[in-house]
Amino acid sequence: MDIHALQQIVHKTRDARRKQTIPKFSSADRDQLIHKYHPDFRASAYRPIAFGPNESDKTVVELAMLLEGDSSIQDDLDLTPQYTADVLVIGGGGAGCAAALHAHGAGAKTILATKLRLGDSNSVMAQGGMQISVAPEDSPVTHFIDTLKGGHMQNDHALLKVMVEDGPSIAKWLLELGVLFDRQADGNLHVKKGGGSSKPRLLTCSDYTGLEIMRVLKDEVINQKIQLLEFAAAVELLSDESGACTGAIFKDLDNQRQVVVAAKAVILATGGIGRLHIQGFPTSNHYGATGDGLCLAYRMGAKLAHIDTFQYHPSGAVYPEQLIGALVTEGIRSEGGQLVNAKGERFVNELDTRDVVSSSIIRECEEGRGIRTMSGRVGVWLDTPLLDAEHGPGTVEKHFPAMMLQFERFGIDISKDPVLIYPTLHYQNGGVKIDTNSETNVNNLFVAGEASGGLHGRNRLMGNSLLDLMVFGKRSGLTAAGRATAMKQGKLTLKHLQGFRAEARKHGNVSGVISPMILPAYTRKVG
Amino acid sequence: MATDDTQNVIDQPEVLKPRMVTIEIAGKKADVPEGITVIKAMWYAGIDVVRGVGCLGGFCGACATYYRTKDDPKVRTCLACQTAVQDGMSFTMMPPFPARKATYDIQTLQDPKQDLFNLYPEAPLCRNCNACTEACPQKIDVREGVWKAVFGDFKSVSEMFMDCVMCGMCTPVCIADIAPNLVALYVSRAQGAHFAEQPVGLDTRIKEIQDGRFNDEWNKVLKMNDKELAEHCAAVK
Ligand SMILES: Cc1cc2nc3c(=O)[nH]c(=O)nc-3n(C[C@H](O)[C@H](O)[C@H](O)COP(=O)(O)OP(=O)(O)OC[C@H]3O[C@@H](n4cnc5c(N)ncnc54)[C@H](O)[C@@H]3O)c2cc1C
Ligand code: SF4
Ligand code: SF4
Ligand code: FES
């Protein structure tokens, strides 16, 4: 059928739906729903990891293969460094920029190396906002409780406490750098309500929160003259005799040469895994989200946490084809956008946590109440015109300019017509286990941001990631700088890699792939 | 499992039978399926793209591209990850342009509106050609922004350039060697750091945390065992 004909049901049922309230699921119902429909519970997608720090823990096959994968580096590579630093930051997203700025500010000689350009990352795309408890009726404790609830009580309490408590001072730091958070009429920070939160707590910069923060942080990294290595993909870490981290080896993607960097402390801020397309899902993530940091840290002996759970954002675009997987911000649902199945019915409280909303969308589609596309995809409607109906014409355009423009480019006006959505692979809930200084169980190896694990439990609450980046970027940067300026550079060896290879051989070199992946293989090879 | 009801299926004949179109990538002809994005067309044609791809979501500006459609002399700009190819289209990615970025310490500026002229002395030399506005894939009125910056209306500039993805396409076209996006970035940061109101509530909250106002509540919550904590969480609506 013509898409407009299919959309009629959404227009026709709008008025009736507006009056309807849908309660959130009881915790028993919610567990049942998730177990039945959430991709994290699809047993056939998982297998135990054969060896290493997380031996016999289960994760998705796509990741298990990479974790067990071999390095591209020869054991006998000449390790004379081309660059030396006190602190080496790997990754140029939000966590990496924050880490580099704080390490540099604390007086450490800092190098920031990143795979693509500075800022090409998931961080620039964050639209929904950043959770910080600034409102008078809110508190860090309430933020803690909401997050814990969203994370199925599995969050690391110590990490979570420092995140919520550091939040307000992070907002202050960003404001002083010139970040333009939305304001109320009285000059106070405007807060929006986010899914799974009991209080409005989202700080926003229109629907460009990540972009605005990244524009400012990138500019500051350049102004501070922090040494940058762009198009430098980390392919291996370096260790001394005691197993502490002492630097990294990069591949220069412009000339394919290997570059050795010696550093007293290394901060991995390499972000997520969306481009592994786990279980065949499309993704909202950037080009370089291939889980590199997990592989690098794992080979060094760092323990991973919660790597069996991923976040499938409820609203990834399904139509038009060109936008498949692209994110339709949760902000739309925060402002009252409803989810509607092919029969014109709502089926979930739109502001429930992401795992619940995603599971319920999958349920609707599997039970035949979805809308299908001819490329074999399926989805449900997100009633975007409802926002204009509810809050006055022009609301969608004013509050979601990025979203409007993205669809407008393909001839779709989301203020007039609903959007077809289905869950998209969005976020890695777990990652490398860290302590409150962002350090791993490997000495002088820090991990910050999406690559780290423990903080978010089994489901990250929306808006908590941007705060995570800033808080643990800062903590890793300061701790690494403090330590590095007071110690000598350790030896550069590949001992850890020799050990890892011996283990792999013992287990029959099962993986057969080289990791990290660096970039997904999208280029068509034949044809 | 998909159902067998065929009612709720969107018509997309182009998906069932993709029509192949002929395009030109950096002057070289290639046949690709109609409607895929410019970046996907390059991958389809067997071209590895490293420089030129970043977020794939229309936010990072890495994929700035010049293109022309069939028989139209006008060369336009687009973000390659956000634009569909059509028959006869011809495109080339924009190489990185060596624009000069001024460096400054945003927090210690004494007179940000005056400092603009020291940092970017070329800004007031705008000759009003409007080429920057025409080049902007984000539809920002770039020319107007440059004038507003020069006249000290920093607030408007910061609002106008919220959509700026720093693709830099406004820069090579400028006959006065202005980099409008970099000017706007400076102006926006100065607006935030110097001219925006101090949010009083934020300072209060920071002080409350420093003074330990939430300590009792923390002690209560952190002492709970798993069961108590779960019940406490369940009680929060
Ligand atoms: C579309 C989208 C919307 C989102 N919206 C929100 C939101 O509203 N609120 C919120 O809180 N969170 C949001 N998130 C989540 C959040 O943006 C990310 O979790 C977060 O930005 C991750 O930051 P990061 O610094 O850890 O990683 P990234 O920002 O992804 O940066 C990782 C960096 O490391 C580089 N890198 C990777 N591998 C290597 C390597 N081997 N060598 C060198 N460099 C490497 C990458 O190129 C990149 O520069 C969103 C995510 C997406 C994708
Ligand atoms: S203002 Fe310039 S840099 Fe910004 S989006 Fe427009 S063309 Fe790109
Ligand atoms: S291109 Fe340069 S000279 Fe022309 S209007 Fe823009 S800023 Fe002015
Ligand atoms: S790749 Fe980031 S805007 Fe196109």
Side-chain angles (χ1 to χ4, degrees):
Chain A
M1 267 209 284
D2 176 64
I3 183 159
H4 289 106
L6 286 169
Q7 286 165 336
Q8 279 316 310
I9 188 122
V10 182
H11 298 305
K12 270 195 273 177
T13 54
R14 184 167 300 124
D15 279 334
R17 281 185 282 108
R18 280 166 76 172
K19 298 180 201 91
Q20 190 188 8
T21 49
I22 296 203
K24 290 193 184 164
F25 288 104
S26 70
S27 81
D29 287 351
R30 133 187 166 140
D31 286 350
Q32 207 191 0
L33 178 79
I34 290 175
H35 281 263
K36 188 145 179 221
Y37 294 105
H38 196 278
D40 275 358
F41 292 90
R42 200 146 296 174
S44 61
Y46 283 77
R47 74 160 168 84
I49 304 168
F51 61 93
N54 288 70
E55 177 170 336
S56 76
D57 287 358
K58 281 195 171 176
T59 188
V60 287
V61 288
E62 293 87 347
L63 181 56
M65 240 165 50
L66 290 171
L67 291 175
E68 298 158 356
D70 195 11
S71 172
S72 59
I73 297 298
Q74 302 296 319
D75 282 355
D76 58 354
L77 182 76
D78 174 11
L79 297 177
T80 315
Q82 279 96 322
Y83 300 93
T84 51
D86 290 331
V87 177
L88 168 65
V89 179
I90 304 178
C97 288
L101 285 169
H102 283 98
H104 172 86
K109 177 172 188 295
T110 305
I111 292 180
L112 193 162
T114 189
K115 184 155 67 177
L116 299 163
R117 302 175 315 167
L118 178 63
D120 292 350
S121 61
N122 279 359
S123 299
V124 278
M125 289 192 277
Q127 295 182 277
M130 177 171 185
Q131 296 240 22
I132 300 184
S133 67
V134 297
E137 69 277 11
D138 196 6
S139 86
V141 187
T142 315
H143 188 178
F144 180 94
I145 294 292
D146 284 346
T147 306
L148 204 54
K149 218 171 144 176
H152 297 270
M153 312 300 287
Q154 303 289 309
N155 317 56
D156 179 321
H157 291 187
L159 295 181
L160 182 50
K161 180 165 188 284
V162 300
M163 181 183 83
V164 299
E165 284 204 309
D166 285 1
S169 60
I170 287 292
K172 177 111 183 144
W173 178 63
L174 291 173
L175 287 167
E176 283 168 356
L177 288 175
V179 171
L180 295 156
F181 286 118
D182 294 331
R183 303 301 186 98
Q184 298 170 1
D186 66 1
N188 274 315
L189 296 169
H190 178 72
V191 280
K192 262 201 205 172
K193 193 151 156 49
S197 300
S198 62
K199 295 275 184 315
R201 190 183 295 131
L202 279 174
L203 306 188
T204 51
C205 314
S206 172
D207 63 345
Y208 288 108
T209 312
L211 177 61
E212 166 66 3
I213 292 175
M214 286 307 293
R215 269 191 304 241
V216 168
L217 294 186
K218 267 175 15 186
D219 191 45
E220 194 59 17
V221 166
I222 297 169
N223 284 347
Q224 297 291 334
K225 305 196 171 61
I226 292 171
Q227 186 172 5
L228 277 179
L229 303 176
E230 290 181 307
F231 296 99
V235 289
E236 193 57 60
L237 294 174
L238 295 165
S239 57
D240 67 7
E241 305 88 336
S242 74
C245 188
T246 52
I249 307 173
F250 293 86
K251 179 168 149 188
D252 183 323
L253 297 181
D254 284 328
N255 59 20
Q256 315 305 319
R257 288 189 189 151
Q258 277 159 351
V259 180
V260 176
V261 181
K264 296 175 187 168
V266 173
I267 302 173
L268 276 175
T270 47
I273 44 66
R275 293 282 154 193
L276 302 186
H277 294 293
I278 291 165
Q279 301 190 33
F281 270 84
T283 183
S284 61
N285 285 192
H286 85 287
Y287 193 33
T290 46
D292 297 1
L294 299 182
C295 303
L296 296 173
Y298 196 70
R299 287 211 279 267
M300 282 285 279
K303 179 109 178 133
L304 313 178
H306 292 150
I307 40 156
D308 56 337
T309 157
F310 301 90
Q311 186 164 74
Y312 300 82
H313 191 289
S315 46
V318 180
Y319 183 95
E321 291 288 305
Q322 296 90 342
L323 290 180
I324 283 173
L327 204 70
V328 179
T329 173
E330 182 147 338
I332 305 249
R333 277 177 289 130
S334 301
E335 292 202 14
Q338 297 180 343
L339 293 170
V340 182
N341 66 20
K343 300 165 94 175
E345 305 157 341
R346 288 173 70 195
F347 49 86
V348 67
N349 181 308
E350 286 81 359
L351 291 184
D352 216 322
T353 49
R354 286 182 174 168
D355 47 0
V356 172
V357 179
S358 286
S359 300
S360 70
I361 295 170
I362 295 173
R363 179 193 63 198
E364 291 308 295
C365 293
E366 290 194 357
E367 292 181 355
R369 295 184 293 277
I371 297 88
R372 286 187 286 137
T373 72
M374 287 192 166
S375 57
R377 296 185 188 272
V378 60
V380 298
W381 299 113
L382 175 64
D383 189 359
T384 40
L386 178 61
L387 268 59
D388 277 14
E390 203 69 46
H391 311 293
T395 303
V396 177
E397 180 160 23
K398 182 143 181 292
H399 294 184
F400 304 100
M403 214 72 261
M404 278 288 282
L405 188 61
Q406 199 167 36
F407 280 85
E408 205 177 276
R409 288 196 168 110
F410 300 104
I412 297 169
D413 181 349
I414 63 165
S415 69
K416 301 228 158 41
D417 286 316
V419 187
L420 196 64
I421 55 108
Y422 190 79
T424 183
L425 178 56
H426 187 57
Y427 187 80
Q428 157 194 310
N429 288 318
V432 187
K433 208 166 153 42
I434 53 165
D435 63 18
T436 51
N437 288 324
S438 233
E439 191 166 11
T440 66
N441 60 304
V442 175
N443 260 345
N444 304 330
L445 177 63
F446 296 77
V447 177
E450 190 168 341
S452 73
L455 171 67
H456 302 289
R458 299 191 62 84
N459 172 57
R460 173 182 65 98
L461 213 59
M462 86 165 288
N464 267 347
S465 178
L466 284 177
L467 181 57
D468 168 10
L469 311 182
M470 296 302 119
V471 168
F472 290 95
K474 174 176 176 182
R475 285 175 168 258
S476 62
L478 291 179
T479 316
R483 187 159 327 150
T485 41
M487 66 183 260
K488 283 219 303 271
Q489 171 68 47
K491 276 219 177 95
L492 308 186
T493 83
L494 288 167
K495 269 224 172 92
H496 67 282
L497 182 58
Q498 288 150 12
F500 184 87
R501 282 183 166 150
E503 269 288 288
R505 263 193 308 276
K506 256 198 276 174
H507 290 85
N509 286 328
V510 280
S511 161
V513 301
I514 297 287
S515 65
M517 182 187 275
I518 303 179
L519 291 174
Y522 289 151
T523 311
R524 208 168 59 118
K525 298 289 180 218
V526 291
Chain B
M1 293 330 94
T3 51
D4 45 18
D5 96 89
T6 48
Q7 277 214 320
N8 294 315
V9 183
I10 300 175
D11 277 338
Q12 290 163 289
E14 74 282 6
V15 170
L16 280 188
K17 240 203 199 119
R19 192 164 80 97
M20 296 301 279
V21 295
T22 304
I23 60 171
E24 247 177 43
I25 306 175
K28 205 170 180 179
K29 284 208 164 34
D31 289 330
V32 304
E34 183 175 40
I36 62 176
T37 63
V38 167
I39 282 187
K40 285 190 182 151
M42 285 193 278
W43 286 330
Y44 190 90
I47 302 169
D48 279 321
V49 200
V50 176
R51 285 185 180 262
V53 188
C55 67
L56 289 171
F59 287 95
C60 76
C63 60
T65 295
Y66 296 109
Y67 75 97
R68 210 169 52 68
T69 52
K70 202 173 187 167
D71 301 330
D72 187 350
K74 171 95 184 144
V75 176
R76 297 167 205 273
T77 62
C78 70
L79 296 176
C81 69
Q82 301 293 308
T83 307
V85 295
Q86 44 175 288
D87 193 38
M89 190 176 186
S90 174
F91 63 81
T92 301
M93 287 202 140
M94 184 178 100
F97 188 76
R100 182 187 68 90
K101 194 193 101 60
T103 54
Y104 38 84
D105 182 349
I106 201 77
Q107 282 160 358
T108 57
L109 296 171
Q110 291 308 310
D111 186 355
K113 295 200 176 173
Q114 202 51 45
D115 290 336
L116 169 66
F117 303 111
N118 304 326
L119 294 168
Y120 289 109
E122 63 277 21
L125 306 179
C126 168
R127 287 188 266 157
N128 243 334
C129 70
N130 211 40
C132 50
T133 301
E134 286 188 35
C136 179
Q138 293 291 89
K139 303 186 176 163
I140 299 168
D141 191 342
V142 185
R143 182 198 63 86
E144 178 82 5
V146 170
W147 280 95
K148 288 209 143 88
V150 168
F151 281 108
D153 185 359
F154 280 21
K155 184 157 193 293
S156 297
V157 176
S158 71
E159 286 161 5
M160 290 170 72
F161 282 76
M162 189 51 91
D163 307 67
C164 173
V165 293
M166 300 298 274
C167 67
M169 299 209 84
C170 51
T171 305
V173 294
C174 180
I175 49 177
D177 295 309
I178 301 167
N181 58 327
L182 297 178
V183 170
L185 176 62
Y186 164 77
V187 168
S188 300
R189 287 192 64 187
Q191 170 65 24
H194 293 274
F195 304 113
E197 251 182 288
Q198 286 301 318
V200 188
L202 177 64
D203 292 330
T204 313
R205 178 53 41 84
I206 292 173
K207 191 151 185 318
E208 284 172 347
I209 293 173
Q210 279 165 356
D211 296 348
R213 205 201 110 186
F214 305 105
N215 285 358
D216 292 349
E217 229 179 308
W218 276 126
N219 286 335
K220 208 178 91 197
V221 166
L222 295 173
K223 272 208 206 91
M224 293 178 181
N225 62 31
D226 287 354
K227 187 163 166 282
E228 289 165 342
L229 195 54
E231 279 163 10
H232 182 74
C233 283
V236 178
K237 283 283 166 292

